[in-house]
Amino acid sequence: MKKRGLLIIISGFAGSGKGTLMKALLSKYDNFALSISATTRDKRPGEEDGKDYFFVSVEEFERLIKEDALLEYARYVSNYYGTPKKYVFDMLESGKDVILEIETEGALKVKAKYPDTVLIFVMPQSVEEIYKRLKKRGTESEEVIMKRMTKAGEEAKVIEKYDYILINDEIDECLVRMYETINGARNTIMRNKDQIERVNEEFEVFLKEEK
Ligand code: 5GP
């Protein structure tokens, strides 16, 4: 039987560069599956439905909630965002490591339900850098940018609840650290209870036979 994959959550302030990091991770390494979220926010130029997000209406989103089709959902700067459940579970069962790129509220809900989840927080070197990156993107009004900065300030308060933090100053180097972090997480005692149980059983049999 194939070993179940890891559920990994990557969060980070808007403008932390985590989207670019995710794309690089997926193109460089195998065995990762990126979950595509549903959202009620407007599509940005260059975004594609079914690739970046499933862009849905508020009514459709609320139907997904009612049908219990979401693993988690949250409101973020006046819009709904949520993770379709089926894809995540199917991929985990098939042995793939599944990545959710979601904000902190949803991330902590998933961790509470599935303590085995790996939580990674990505951030740029300074608050000034976050603001600069949002401005540079040029897709949001100053009002929305300030709302996102306020939200980032709230998210900063819960970073301590995460398992790992990565400072994204140089993308290639951060990518390698992210990959190493995920692999390190695979080796924790909590995630290897089956191996520990097996070695103890084998010892019991072996030591009995030796007597
Ligand atoms: P953006 O509008 O910039 O694409 O995303 C805004 C925030 O929503 C980001 O922090 C992003 O990680 C988060 N987000 C995207 N999809 C989901 C989701 O399915 N659930 C939750 N809780 N947050 C999400």
Side-chain angles (χ1 to χ4, degrees), residues 57-67 75 80:
S57 64
V58 172
E59 294 72 38
E60 282 171 299
F61 198 98
E62 287 174 346
R63 184 152 38 85
L64 292 175
I65 300 174
K66 235 189 236 154
E67 287 169 356
R75 281 190 83 93
Y80 276 128

Side-chain angles (χ1 to χ4, degrees), residues 92-195:
L92 287 174
E93 281 310 316
S94 76
K96 290 245 183 206
D97 296 325
V98 180
I99 301 191
L100 314 185
E101 189 212 310
I102 66 176
E103 51 70 68
T104 51
E105 195 187 319
L108 295 175
K109 279 190 218 159
V110 176
K111 181 85 173 176
K113 238 196 263 177
Y114 305 99
D116 196 23
T117 309
V118 182
L119 294 190
I120 303 177
F121 199 92
V122 178
M123 62 177 203
Q125 254 174 340
S126 68
V127 171
E128 195 52 39
E129 185 64 29
I130 301 169
Y131 182 66
K132 262 201 228 150
R133 286 195 203 192
L134 282 178
K135 285 289 265 193
K136 205 170 135 203
R137 192 155 73 186
T139 48
E140 275 109 351
S141 64
E142 183 63 27
E143 191 197 339
V144 173
I145 289 177
M146 280 321 292
K147 279 189 184 161
R148 284 179 174 254
M149 288 302 289
T150 306
K151 184 78 183 176
E154 288 165 18
E155 291 196 298
K157 298 207 167 74
V158 299
I159 301 174
E160 281 187 25
K161 300 201 165 105
Y162 275 62
D163 300 311
Y164 302 97
I165 186 163
L166 293 176
I167 310 289
N168 184 18
D169 38 9
E170 208 281 305
I171 180 151
D172 289 335
E173 191 247 342
C174 188
L175 186 63
V176 172
R177 272 189 288 128
M178 179 176 281
Y179 187 65
E180 285 170 353
T181 301
I182 294 169
N183 277 336
R186 264 181 241 286
N187 304 326
T188 58
I189 293 292
M190 185 176 80
R191 296 192 179 89
N192 289 279
K193 291 264 168 73
D194 52 339
Q195 301 290 346

Side-chain angles (χ1 to χ4, degrees), residues 10 12 14 18 37-38 41 44 47 53 72-74 76 81-83 101-103 105-107 137 140 148 155:
I10 313 285
K18 62 186 187 304
S37 299
R41 89 147 157 72
R44 289 191 194 121
E47 284 185 331
Y53 281 105
E72 60 71 43
Y73 68 93
Y76 182 95
Y81 293 81
T83 308
E101 189 212 310
I102 66 176
E103 51 70 68
E105 195 187 319
R137 192 155 73 186
E140 275 109 351
R148 284 179 174 254
E155 291 196 298

